[in-house]
Amino acid sequence: MSTSRFNNNATLDVVGIGNAIVDVLVQTDDGFLNTHSLQKGGMALIDEKQAETLYQASGPGQETSGGSVANTMVGIAQLGGRTGFIGRVRDDQLGTIFSHDIRAVGTRFETSAATTGATTARCLIYVTPDAERTMCTFLGASTQLEPDDLDLSMVKQTKVLYLEGYLWDSPAAKRAFLAGAEACRAAGGQVALSLSDGFCVDRHRDSFLELVHNHVDVLFANEVEIKSLYQTDDFETALEQVRGRCSVIAVTRSDQGSVVLSGDQRWDVGIYSLGDLVDTTGAGDLYAGGFLHAYTQGDSLERCGQLGALCAGQIVTQLGARSKECLKTLASTHLN
């Protein structure tokens, strides 16, 4: 694969637009989920009052900057890629934490903090002994992202603009999302999308289908999301429905690895078992990070899938979605 398919004037590899969130990771059991009527393995949107109630009921937690696309940008930066992030925080303690963490890895983050309105978004992530994660998200200030917040110079200077489906839950962020995609493609860049969550797909299926079929070059999904998008219980049927809709499609399947499609070609990529399974938070984010880094460096699609699988294989061996190991060193060790 040649990098000539990208904007020749690009100074950044990937720019992400997403929800700027601080994660609060709590190790708990199924009893806690049942007591609070939480759907195991899903992502529920909650308001500020619910967030405070759950936080008070939870055991000790670990606070770390998160957000799906932000996690992906950090992963790419750790691999040596040039990244930028666009998302809204409030001028509060959590907003300061988020801003520091993403800039510390070398990712450009220049969106000004909101001075009024909701507080910085946070996601309560409950990790059960089987490593499954259940998320309760208060979107807060992230929903205040507007088209005027976009640094269009950054969007126009990237090879790939990466967007998260969660933005579809906010009309304002959705407008920013579409404005960014239009500006990127006009400048010769490509648009990548993560479907984000099966419940998110259920909420926005029709507009997601229009988006995937007409505006997306690279699509990321997991098995649940792709089957939900095409309303089928059969994985292979869903793959045939999406085949050819985007230039590249990458679908993760947990312990069954991932499938990469491009035209009539297909690559089945295995997993990397690098240690005990601790927490699946961020597995899809880091898969996308590894994949997009290899993609923007001109690697083969098979290698893109392999680097994605390797990064995902590492992140599930620790708590949280920001790698405590050097991903660049990991890649040089495990991939030729």
Side-chain angles (χ1 to χ4, degrees), residues 144-173:
Q144 296 174 253
L145 184 70
E146 295 273 4
D148 289 345
D149 298 320
L150 290 178
D151 182 347
L152 290 180
S153 65
M154 191 187 297
V155 169
K156 293 173 182 176
Q157 292 169 16
T158 188
K159 295 177 182 177
V160 175
L161 180 67
Y162 184 49
L163 308 164
E164 67 181 47
Y166 285 136
L167 288 172
W168 235 242
D169 286 317
S170 163

Side-chain angles (χ1 to χ4, degrees), residues 112-304:
S112 59
T115 56
T116 59
T119 56
T120 296
R122 79 287 312 260
C123 180
L124 298 168
I125 303 176
Y126 296 103
V127 183
T128 41
D130 58 0
E132 186 63 84
R133 84 282 188 271
T134 301
M135 299 183 290
C136 297
T137 304
F138 167 58
L139 291 173
S142 66
T143 63
Q144 296 174 253
L145 184 70
E146 295 273 4
D148 289 345
D149 298 320
L150 290 178
D151 182 347
L152 290 180
S153 65
M154 191 187 297
V155 169
K156 293 173 182 176
Q157 292 169 16
T158 188
K159 295 177 182 177
V160 175
L161 180 67
Y162 184 49
L163 308 164
E164 67 181 47
Y166 285 136
L167 288 172
W168 235 242
D169 286 317
S170 163
K174 180 179 175 180
R175 290 193 294 272
F177 179 121
L178 292 171
E182 182 178 349
C184 179
R185 296 192 96 176
Q190 295 188 13
V191 175
L193 170 72
S194 165
L195 292 184
S196 295
D197 179 84
F199 298 108
C200 188
V201 175
D202 290 340
R203 291 191 292 272
H204 308 292
R205 181 175 293 105
D206 289 346
S207 57
F208 271 5
L209 282 168
E210 196 278 330
L211 189 67
V212 168
H213 294 176
N214 298 300
H215 304 286
V216 172
D217 300 293
V218 183
L219 177 68
F220 293 95
N222 64 26
E223 182 171 358
V224 170
E225 293 155 6
I226 203 68
K227 290 195 295 188
S228 173
L229 185 64
Y230 292 101
Q231 295 182 281
T232 177
D233 292 326
D234 183 69
F235 178 64
E236 294 297 330
T237 297
L239 288 188
E240 286 308 308
Q241 289 287 320
V242 76
R243 182 189 289 277
R245 299 291 191 175
C246 307
S247 297
V248 179
I249 299 140
V251 185
T252 56
R253 306 188 71 192
S254 299
D255 60 357
Q256 295 183 63
S258 62
V259 177
V260 180
L261 301 176
S262 182
D264 60 359
Q265 294 181 291
R266 170 174 174 161
W267 296 267
D268 289 271
V269 181
I271 64 169
Y272 287 84
S273 297
L274 302 176
D276 293 336
L277 186 63
V278 174
D279 173 19
T280 58
T281 305
D285 304 339
L286 270 293
Y287 179 93
F291 192 104
L292 286 172
H293 178 65
Y295 185 68
T296 54
Q297 301 312 302
D299 291 342
S300 69
L301 292 179
E302 182 176 31
R303 185 177 174 85
C304 292

